[in-house]
Amino acid sequence: MEFKGTQGEWSVEQELGYDCDVIHEGGEICWLGLSDVSDEEKYANAQLIAAAPELLKELQKIKLDIEIGV
């Protein structure tokens, strides 16, 4: 399975009391804006989203290891 999303490192920028952005080289991938969710939970959700490309890469390695019987 090939990752078809934005390539490269994703990171999180947070403005306390307002929003969190998942960004890539200055461009916004995802915005977690005003809601009833706490800043702490919003930031944790943004970190999980930002880790998606790396998580997929690791899952692909595990899948391959299982397929070749490592």
Side-chain angles (χ1 to χ4, degrees), residues 37-60:
V37 175
S38 70
D39 286 342
E40 182 179 357
E41 187 175 347
K42 208 181 300 183
Y43 185 71
N45 290 338
Q47 287 181 305
L48 181 59
I49 293 166
E54 292 145 24
L55 292 170
L56 177 60
K57 187 184 294 185
E58 291 304 314
L59 287 171
Q60 289 170 329

Side-chain angles (χ1 to χ4, degrees), residues 9-65:
E9 186 175 330
W10 296 8
S11 60
V12 176
E13 288 184 355
Q14 180 180 32
E15 186 176 330
L16 290 175
Y18 184 64
D19 67 5
C20 284
D21 298 319
V22 178
I23 60 167
H24 172 265
E25 296 177 357
E28 189 174 273
I29 293 172
C30 178
W31 175 73
L32 289 84
L34 297 173
S35 70
D36 292 334
V37 175
S38 70
D39 286 342
E40 182 179 357
E41 187 175 347
K42 208 181 300 183
Y43 185 71
N45 290 338
Q47 287 181 305
L48 181 59
I49 293 166
E54 292 145 24
L55 292 170
L56 177 60
K57 187 184 294 185
E58 291 304 314
L59 287 171
Q60 289 170 329
K61 287 178 187 177
I62 292 168
K63 181 179 181 275
L64 182 60
D65 287 347

